[in-house]
Amino acid sequence: GGGGGAGGVGAAGTLPCGAPRGAGGAGLTSNITGSCVQRAGGGGNGIAGGSLGSTSGGGGGGGYPGGASSNGTDNTGGGGGGSGRPDDNGGQGGPGVVIVKELNQASGVWSMQSQFQAKKCGTWPQFIAYDMDYLVVAGGGGGGYRLNGGGGAGGFRESSGANTGCYTASPLGSGVTGFLLEEGTYTITVGAGGAGGVCGPETGAKGTDSIFNVCGSAPLKITSSGGGAGAPASSPLGQGGSGGGAKVSY
């Protein structure tokens, strides 16, 4: 079947050309960057007749006779498409993304005298803690080899946008608070997409986690789990931020 997306499950695959054709699960939309972008869609299942990746969210389409499976879109965490021919590899999952947003206007006004005194004392400029919002999407899972399932989308976590100007968040962000970011060093990991399945190990590889503040702790450490691979239903590789699709039985 199609890999799961952040906004919905993947559809079941059928042979030879039935409907639904194992489309990947839907992604989610956020405009934290100022533009509406769809991310974290599932990859399509590889079947005879072909199948679609997620209609939103960067999931790769499943392969079919005469066409190869496609990769998940970069920086969306979309799952890779499953292979639709016995000798084709699965599509690679799309890398994830980490976005942190600050308030888009001045946070206050200070007197010249106070700034002069701070300069004399060697404390100017002084970092001020800011309320931030975030979006953290993990890498998508790779699609499977030989009529196998599509990769699952990377995990999708975001805050509501209330800290920085009420941008439009997805339903998953509703009611989720951002965080207060103070002066310091914050290490970020952007999750890679999982490799597509090849001859031998037919399953794809899971996507890797995306993390804001790797060395920190909750609530200031935000981790999204990598997407599950296109794999047999019994394989733990199919588990992830969104689950990978299972191989079509025929």
Side-chain angles (χ1 to χ4, degrees), residues 10-35:
T14 56
L15 283 171
C17 295
R21 295 182 179 177
L28 292 172
T29 300
S30 170
N31 69 347
I32 188 172
T33 61
S35 300

Side-chain angles (χ1 to χ4, degrees), residues 82-250:
S83 167
R85 296 187 293 192
D87 55 351
D88 279 349
N89 299 335
Q92 180 172 318
V97 68
V98 176
I99 300 170
V100 178
K101 177 179 173 61
E102 64 177 330
L103 191 69
N104 59 0
Q105 61 187 28
S107 54
V109 178
W110 299 270
S111 70
M112 183 65 74
Q113 182 63 29
S114 68
Q115 301 309 298
F116 178 71
Q117 290 298 323
K119 179 67 174 178
K120 287 179 60 176
C121 296
T123 58
W124 185 93
Q126 182 177 8
F127 183 88
I128 301 172
Y130 291 101
D131 288 319
M132 310 290 255
D133 281 304
Y134 64 85
L135 171 66
V136 179
V137 181
Y145 174 87
R146 197 189 301 273
L147 301 179
N148 223 314
F156 185 106
R157 296 186 63 185
E158 70 171 338
S159 57
S160 66
N163 279 354
T164 60
C166 296
Y167 64 87
T168 303
S170 75
L172 288 183
S174 177
V176 179
T177 58
F179 46 71
L180 183 70
L181 193 66
E182 298 180 337
E183 183 176 8
T185 299
Y186 299 89
T187 303
I188 292 172
T189 297
V190 177
V198 297
C199 183
E202 295 186 3
T203 60
K206 293 181 66 171
T208 56
D209 298 350
S210 286
I211 307 171
F212 174 80
N213 195 19
V214 173
C215 300
S217 57
L220 197 54
K221 180 178 182 179
I222 310 297
T223 302
S224 290
S225 299
S234 60
S235 173
L237 291 174
Q239 302 171 11
S242 292
K247 186 173 183 177
V248 174
S249 298
Y250 61 97

